[in-house]
């Protein structure tokens, strides 16, 4: 029992978590050398393509220390702020966390956020400085910074390199001595486990990731999901190596998986407790439901594929519990879903996965945050998509969410950041010097402005050095209007958006310009326009595609040529009359993504 250690690696994005995990897997011979590749735990196609961790990944390692055999359960976590719900769930399954801080970067915004989460979860924190092999590493400065942050002596901070493997054995020893073994009531008590994640397999159904809290569990046992009150018997139990590897039983304190065979959505949920069917099962404290910050509506390109979209969303939900979706109907677009995500990157990942893993062609509306509108009719309506935003004349007042944000930047960039902060309606709450020549800015701003590429701009003026995190705090009064985009004189509802009144012209201009850049030439001349407050405020003309229908005919009969040209003209006229503008689905994808 006390030879199990459960821990996670937490850090700001790119500080070397997944690379450190690689060396741990190598040293413990968990992954065969021939199967080893960089960031091996990032197994999703999108993770490998983008070089980021999206989903947490548990892995079980065997390690011998002082002649004693230990089971080390590691959970690698994502670092991007959009995925902090993943991190919070991973933290509930472990007793300790390695807080990794890049020696070339120092403490960054997500270092603070993840540290805060680990402390709140009551975990033992093992501070470690990473990438010490790099010629750019400032090991002693960064160690001092971390020591100050956590309030420990500099000598207790370890140094590792995920690249060379330096310091990894020492880190294992630290984990074994500092992280307490999982607490339990002993093997005799009744089985109880926490569902901290799950995934879906076409032939195995839902596979739940469990942390066994009491007792033990084996195949074919009669079990119960507490929240959904559903009975099931696992078809297989096992551990992660890192791929699923079947075993006889999972004991108290261990981390592993149960194959449920369940194919319907809504039965397994993260944060739920699993126990013995017919036993006296008491629920463990679960998780807070994630609060979406950004919404987009998804419609199938053809309504015939609505059932496919429905199925795809329910499947995806069994691999990513952090997005929400709800059916909605729009006059022009038909039946679709309103989908809530934890940030723009998360939304991009969700839509990209629907496209790739489920082969769907989707119409995606311009992302929006949530607004609350007080109407003249005395109603308070919650608006998630621009299409449902009331007419200007019907509005008494609009409310929008604000955030409290933290930026950590080299002090030399503070003055250039000021302009961006001003452009995004930020109010500085606090300025504090932080470590060696760095400044920590605390500010308040509308979430709407944060979603307006704020972070990318902060990154770019600071040459990539500034880092940021934020949390949604409260609703405040907003001065916003609805902007519609018209193509060939018709509103394309998917492109409507809610924008700050002061920026309506600028936003109209840039939306029209962007669409002009991505929309293919049509068979006829088509205007692209931006309209707000009852008038057209921006316009561009998409020239017609010149397809010479007579080209393949040479010499001869001029009347036949004229006939063909005439036919083409008629065709164009007809299309125009029907407003048939061909908008390929990748245009919606491109319009959704921030530049
Ligand atoms: N020089 C050096 N580079 C590293 C080290 N660990 C990671 N990197 C690089 O840092 C980048 C981010 O690494 P990754 O493990 O994906 O970071 P994560 O986002 O925290 O999981 C990659 O380009 C790695 O090659 C290290 O120990 N030394
Ligand atoms: Mg990673």
């Amino acid at each position: 029992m006390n030879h199990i250690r459960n821990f996670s690696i937490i850090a700001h994005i790119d500080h070397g978590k997944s690379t450190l995990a690689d060396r741990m897997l190598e040293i413990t011979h968990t992954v065969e050398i021939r199967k080893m590749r960089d960031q091996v735990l990032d197994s999703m196609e999108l993770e490998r393509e983008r070089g980021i961790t999206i989903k947490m990944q548990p892995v079980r390692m065997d390690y011998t220390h002082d002649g004693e055999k230990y089971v080390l359960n590691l959970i690698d976590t994502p670092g991007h702020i959009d995925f902090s719900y993943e991190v919070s769930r991973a933290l509930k399954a472990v007793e300790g966390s390695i807080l990794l801080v890049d020696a070339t970067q120092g403490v960054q915004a997500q270092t603070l956020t993840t540290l805060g989460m680990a402390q709140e979860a009551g975990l033992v924190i093992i501070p470690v400085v990473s990438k010490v092999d790099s010629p750019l590493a400032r090991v002693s400065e960064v160690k001092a910074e971390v020591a100050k942050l956590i309030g420990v002596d500099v000598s207790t901070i370890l140094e590792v390199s995920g690249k060379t493997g330096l310091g990894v054995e020492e880190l294992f020893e630290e984990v074994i001595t500092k992280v307490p073994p999982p607490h339990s009531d002993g093997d005799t008590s009744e089985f109880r486990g926490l569902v901290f994640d799950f995934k879906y397999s076409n032939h195995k159904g839902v596979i739940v990731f469990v942390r066994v809290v009491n007792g033990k569990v084996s195949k074919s046992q009669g079990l119960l999901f507490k929240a959904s009150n559903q009975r099931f018997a696992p078809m297989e139990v096992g551990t992660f190596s890192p791929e699923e590897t079947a075993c006889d039983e999972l004991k108290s304190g261990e981390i592993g998986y149960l194959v449920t065979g369940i194919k319907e959505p809504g039965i397994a949920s993260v944060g739920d407790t699993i126990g013995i069917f017919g036993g006296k099962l008491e629920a463990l404290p679960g998780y807070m439901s994630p609060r979406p910050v950004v919404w987009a509506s998804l419609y199938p390109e053809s309504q015939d594929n609505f059932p496919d979209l429905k199925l795809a969303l329910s499947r995806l939900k069994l691999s990513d519990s952090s997005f929400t979706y709800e059916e909605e109907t729009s006059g022009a677009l038909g039946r679709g879903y309103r989908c809530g995500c934890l940030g723009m990157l998360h939304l991009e990942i969700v839509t990209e996965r629907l496209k790739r893993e489920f082969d769907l062609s989707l119409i995606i509306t311009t992302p929006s945050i949530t607004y609350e509108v007080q109407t003249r009719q005395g109603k308070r309506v919650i608006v998630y998509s621009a299409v449902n935003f009331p007419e200007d004349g019907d509005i008494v007042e609009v409310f929008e969410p604000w955030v409290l944000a933290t930026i950590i930047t080299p002090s030399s960039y503070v003055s250039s950041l000021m302009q961006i902060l001003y452009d995004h309606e930020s109010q500085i709450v606090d300025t504090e010097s932080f470590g060696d020549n760095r400044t920590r800015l605390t500010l308040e701003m509308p979430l709407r402005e944060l979603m307006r590429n704020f972070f990318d701009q902060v990154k770019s003026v600071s040459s990539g050095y500034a880092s940021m995190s934020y949390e949604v705090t409260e609703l405040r009064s907003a001065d916003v209007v609805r902007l519609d985009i018209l193509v060939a004189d018709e509103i394309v509802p998917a492109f409507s958006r809610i924008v700050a009144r002061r920026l309506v012209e600028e936003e109209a201009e840039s939306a029209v310009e962007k669409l002009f850049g991505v929309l293919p030439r049509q068979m006829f001349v088509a205007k692209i326009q931006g309209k707000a407050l009852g008038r057209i405020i921006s316009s561009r003309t998409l020239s017609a595609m010149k397809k010479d229908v007579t080209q393949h005919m040479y010499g001869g009969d001029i009347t036949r040529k004229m006939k063909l040209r005439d036919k083409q003209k008629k065709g164009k006229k007809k299309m125009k009359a029907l407003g048939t503008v061909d908008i390929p689905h990748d245009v919606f994808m491109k319009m959704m993504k921030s530049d």
Side-chain angles (χ1 to χ4, degrees):
M1 169 77 264
N2 47 20
H3 286 83
I4 299 174
R5 297 291 183 275
N6 299 319
F7 64 102
S8 63
I9 310 181
I10 55 173
H12 190 82
I13 193 162
D14 273 350
H15 280 206
K17 296 176 290 296
S18 301
T19 306
L20 172 62
D22 286 348
R23 298 294 85 73
M24 292 183 161
L25 297 176
E26 245 169 44
I27 289 173
T28 55
H29 310 288
T30 307
V31 174
E32 284 174 65
I33 294 291
R34 67 181 175 86
K35 285 193 184 161
M36 203 59 208
R37 51 180 184 172
D38 285 349
Q39 291 99 32
V40 71
L41 294 183
D42 292 341
S43 53
M44 254 168 67
E45 184 184 277
L46 268 172
E47 293 183 311
R48 301 215 60 83
E49 230 169 70
R50 299 188 177 215
I52 54 168
T53 307
I54 293 169
K55 203 170 160 52
M56 72 165 106
Q57 175 65 58
V59 59
R60 178 190 193 274
M61 302 178 286
D62 291 308
Y63 186 70
T64 307
H65 172 65
D66 275 351
E68 298 275 334
K69 284 188 173 153
Y70 287 88
V71 170
L72 305 179
N73 287 308
L74 155 73
I75 305 181
D76 184 27
T77 62
H80 192 281
I81 181 150
D82 282 15
F83 306 118
S84 45
Y85 182 59
E86 271 313 283
V87 182
S88 74
R89 296 202 321 271
L91 296 181
K92 286 263 180 105
V94 296
E95 282 73 35
S97 265
I98 293 174
L99 179 74
L100 209 59
V101 181
D102 187 334
T104 70
Q105 304 278 330
V107 170
Q108 283 181 296
Q110 282 305 300
T111 315
L112 305 181
T113 315
T114 50
L115 170 64
M117 290 196 293
Q119 283 170 333
E120 205 169 301
L123 303 185
V124 168
I125 313 276
I126 299 182
V128 178
V129 166
S130 67
K131 304 193 189 178
V132 296
D133 65 279
S134 166
L136 300 172
R138 297 172 295 121
V139 178
S140 49
E141 288 102 310
V142 173
K143 277 172 87 169
E145 210 173 275
V146 177
K148 191 167 160 225
L149 177 70
I150 310 183
V152 295
D153 196 80
V154 179
S155 62
T156 61
I157 295 168
L158 299 186
E159 298 173 18
V160 301
S161 163
K163 197 164 194 172
T164 66
L166 179 114
V168 179
E169 296 265 5
E170 289 82 350
L171 180 52
F172 275 142
E173 279 163 34
E174 189 86 347
V175 165
I176 287 168
T177 47
K178 294 268 172 70
V179 177
H183 170 78
S184 151
D185 306 337
D187 281 359
T188 49
S189 70
E190 196 177 287
F191 165 69
R192 191 163 67 140
L194 173 72
V195 179
F196 64 91
D197 201 4
F198 48 44
K199 66 182 212 180
Y200 185 83
S201 142
N202 276 333
H203 57 285
K204 292 179 170 177
V206 178
I207 301 170
V208 290
F209 294 23
V210 287
R211 160 62 199 272
V212 181
V213 176
N214 302 98
K216 54 189 179 187
V217 63
S218 52
K219 194 171 143 174
S220 310
Q221 242 177 323
L223 303 179
L224 183 80
F225 281 108
K226 179 78 178 166
S228 56
N229 199 30
Q230 283 276 343
R231 187 183 178 167
F232 76 103
M235 295 155 58
E236 180 183 315
V237 304
T239 54
F240 301 97
S241 69
E243 58 289 336
E244 286 106 54
T245 308
C247 66
D248 293 338
E249 59 179 23
L250 288 174
K251 291 194 209 67
S252 177
E254 284 190 310
I255 288 174
Y257 67 89
L258 309 177
V259 174
T260 66
I262 294 168
K263 302 218 164 165
E264 318 74 275
I267 293 174
S269 55
V270 295
D272 196 5
T273 308
I274 296 179
I276 301 288
F277 180 77
K280 42 178 193 315
L281 179 56
E282 253 178 72
L284 294 157
Y287 303 121
M288 302 254 286
S289 307
R291 249 206 3 224
V293 294
V294 58
W295 301 84
S297 298
L298 312 178
Y299 293 88
E301 205 173 39
S302 153
Q303 282 289 305
D304 296 344
N305 298 118
F306 179 78
D308 302 331
L309 175 59
K310 183 176 180 164
L311 182 69
L313 282 165
S314 70
R315 288 283 146 85
L316 188 62
K317 179 84 182 165
L318 291 174
S319 154
D320 177 359
S321 53
S322 61
F323 78 94
T324 54
Y325 66 99
E326 226 172 71
E327 194 179 328
E328 102 179 344
T329 308
S330 144
L333 298 168
R335 286 172 83 191
Y337 286 93
R338 186 168 57 78
C339 196
C341 290
L342 301 182
M344 284 300 290
L345 177 64
H346 184 216
L347 176 61
E348 210 181 304
I349 298 288
V350 165
T351 50
E352 192 73 43
R353 289 185 69 184
L354 285 170
K355 189 178 150 190
R356 285 183 195 208
E357 295 170 28
F358 303 92
D359 203 21
L360 289 171
S361 294
L362 296 175
I363 292 171
I364 304 161
T365 66
T366 308
S368 173
I369 58 164
T370 309
Y371 293 91
E372 286 190 21
V373 183
Q374 187 68 44
T375 67
R376 293 222 181 279
Q377 291 75 38
K379 272 196 261 172
R380 180 106 164 185
V381 285
I382 296 178
V383 181
Y384 306 91
S385 73
V387 191
N388 301 325
F389 200 72
E391 292 301 321
D392 216 41
D394 287 339
I395 298 172
V396 178
E397 193 171 4
V398 182
F399 299 89
E400 65 180 344
W402 273 59
V403 303
L404 185 67
T406 302
I407 295 178
I408 296 178
T409 176
S411 303
S412 54
Y413 293 109
V414 169
S415 59
S416 7
L417 278 173
M418 285 305 154
Q419 185 60 43
I420 296 176
L421 300 192
Y422 177 79
D423 290 344
H424 288 267
E425 303 176 34
S426 305
Q427 298 164 3
I428 296 179
V429 179
D430 193 22
T431 310
E432 196 184 330
S433 80
F434 190 87
D436 46 337
N437 291 319
R438 294 199 300 160
T439 303
R440 172 179 171 169
L441 299 167
T442 308
L443 39 106
E444 291 177 331
M445 67 192 290
L447 177 62
R448 153 179 58 80
E449 286 295 318
L450 188 97
M451 292 296 160
R452 212 164 56 82
N453 266 343
F454 178 68
F455 189 36
D456 288 346
Q457 291 177 32
V458 166
K459 271 270 172 213
S460 119
V461 297
S462 65
S463 313
Y465 287 115
S467 61
M468 197 189 80
S469 71
Y470 71 91
E471 59 179 317
V472 176
T473 49
E474 59 184 355
L475 289 178
R476 293 194 197 174
S477 186
D479 192 12
V480 293
V481 296
R482 168 172 158 181
L483 167 66
D484 289 317
I485 304 298
L486 289 72
V487 177
D489 299 312
E490 258 181 69
I491 292 179
V492 184
F495 298 147
S496 296
R497 63 199 65 201
I498 299 159
V499 302
R501 190 185 301 267
R502 66 181 177 98
L503 290 174
V504 68
E505 317 250 327
E506 198 180 301
E507 294 273 345
E509 198 76 33
S510 82
V512 165
E513 208 52 46
K514 189 168 178 184
L515 188 55
F516 180 79
V518 294
L519 197 64
R521 299 278 162 276
Q522 305 293 320
M523 291 298 285
F524 51 87
V525 175
K527 272 189 296 210
I528 304 176
Q529 297 165 306
K531 184 180 175 185
L533 302 163
R535 60 198 171 85
I536 301 292
I537 49 176
S538 172
S539 179
R540 280 231 43 179
T541 303
L542 203 60
S543 59
M545 179 168 67
K546 287 223 177 63
K547 185 173 160 200
D548 191 348
V549 285
T550 64
Q551 210 176 35
H552 65 284
M553 303 169 68
Y554 40 87
D557 196 350
I558 184 74
T559 51
R560 261 189 72 202
K561 275 193 186 175
M562 278 167 66
K563 250 189 212 156
L564 265 177
R565 287 212 183 96
D566 209 43
K567 214 170 126 196
Q568 187 194 31
K569 232 189 241 164
K570 267 193 203 136
K572 285 187 186 182
K573 222 178 192 166
K574 195 170 146 211
M575 273 217 238
K576 221 171 184 172
L578 292 174
T580 326
V581 174
D582 181 29
I583 303 177
H585 75 98
D586 67 303
V587 168
F588 295 100
M589 263 332 217
K590 285 178 191 151
M591 287 297 283
M592 176 201 71
K593 284 181 195 166
S594 48
D595 308 281

